[in-house]
Amino acid sequence: MDMKWLEWAKQIQAIAQTGLTYAKDIYDIERYEELRRISIDILANYTSVNKEKIALTFASDSGYATPKVDIRGVVFRESKILLVREKIDGAWALPGGWGDIGLSPSEVAVKEIKEESGFDVVPIRLLAVLDKKFHDHPPEPYHVYKMFIQCEIVGGKAETGVETSAVEFFSLDELPQLSLERNTVEQVKTMFEFLDQPDKKVILD
């Protein structure tokens, strides 16, 4: 399906948000508010989500429009990768989530791994910074950068969290159904390349 409408909606929303941040003239403000309404109408027309929810989740930010940051922790043990089963869709993902204000990317990775898997870890190195639009994720209304940070277990034990229902390690040839919103098969395969090639360079989209 051609998803150009989604890209247009995101671009219009970004223009509107940034314009509303800096506009002083009342007529300019009205024009940017109209652009924001148009972006909401586009999403409402092509999806089953009502306008009120779209306005709340997609078009409620303020300030200069910037991409969101999703951080994933990459943990290996005995040549297997750590995955957690997400309660929201029953599929598996590298532990992680949105970046938190006040925390560095490494601190977020450590926190998310602890909360979702029970393991205490220390960050080792950055493996990849990917733009979600270049990868086979389901469409979504946000522009997202994904950071993959390798970590090493130093304590704790496997325990589920508020958002997870299982914690396991998987080899490359036994990967379960993945939560594609969070990570693709190709991305997880790429993480295994870093295990096999310790000198592999950081990947940047």
Side-chain angles (χ1 to χ4, degrees), residues 122-195:
V122 293
I124 301 300
R125 59 172 174 159
L126 175 67
L127 302 182
V129 179
L130 306 181
D131 189 320
K132 209 169 180 180
K133 71 180 181 183
F134 293 133
H135 300 268
D136 195 22
H137 294 280
E140 67 175 297
Y142 306 113
H143 190 165
V144 180
Y145 294 161
K146 297 181 65 64
M147 301 180 68
F148 295 80
I149 298 175
Q150 185 174 356
C151 298
E152 182 178 287
I153 294 175
V154 293
K157 62 179 181 179
E159 291 181 334
T160 58
V162 174
E163 299 176 348
T164 58
S165 60
V167 179
E168 292 187 33
F169 289 84
F170 295 90
S171 62
L172 180 57
D173 59 2
E174 62 177 9
L175 292 178
Q177 179 183 354
L178 296 178
S179 178
L180 297 181
E181 181 181 339
R182 294 161 180 80
N183 40 221
T184 68
V185 174
E186 287 305 313
Q187 288 167 353
V188 174
K189 287 182 177 179
T190 299
M191 298 306 109
F192 273 97
E193 293 177 6
F194 284 98
L195 177 64

Side-chain angles (χ1 to χ4, degrees), residues 20 23-33:
L20 287 170
K24 303 298 183 183
D25 183 87
I26 186 171
Y27 298 107
D28 288 339
I29 291 173
E30 288 179 352
R31 293 184 185 99
Y32 288 124
E33 287 176 342

